[in-house]
Amino acid sequence: FRSMQIFERILQAIQKLDEIYRVVFEFKYLHELSDREIADLLGVTPKVVNVRIFRALKKLQNLLREE
């Protein structure tokens, strides 16, 4: 039961991310795409994808700490 609550909190936090970060996060961790694959889909470089993933994770940490 506790793990389900944690899972729900994480999902809610992901939904609060700005779209630019949420999209790369979902491609990376839900669809398990590589940075190169994500970059090709979005028309950006893998470095941009890497930076967005890093920022998404930082924002998620902050969102989860706030709750």
Side-chain angles (χ1 to χ4, degrees), residues 7-55:
F7 182 74
E8 288 295 323
R9 283 182 59 208
I10 293 169
L11 283 180
Q12 289 171 358
I14 291 169
Q15 291 304 314
K16 291 179 183 177
L17 290 174
D18 292 337
E19 183 177 3
I20 194 169
Y21 301 118
R22 189 178 69 249
V23 168
V24 294
F25 186 87
E26 290 175 352
F27 281 152
K28 180 78 171 180
Y29 297 107
L30 299 180
H31 301 289
E32 299 179 349
L33 298 179
S34 70
D35 290 2
R36 166 59 65 194
E37 291 170 316
I38 298 167
D40 290 345
L41 283 171
L42 299 178
V44 297
T45 65
K47 178 67 177 169
V48 168
V49 170
N50 187 271
V51 168
R52 288 181 186 176
I53 290 168
F54 177 81
R55 289 179 180 164

Side-chain angles (χ1 to χ4, degrees), residues 1-10 64 67:
F1 181 71
R2 178 74 179 139
S3 61
M4 190 57 136
Q5 289 175 325
I6 293 168
F7 182 74
E8 288 295 323
R9 283 182 59 208
I10 293 169
L64 291 169
E67 293 182 4

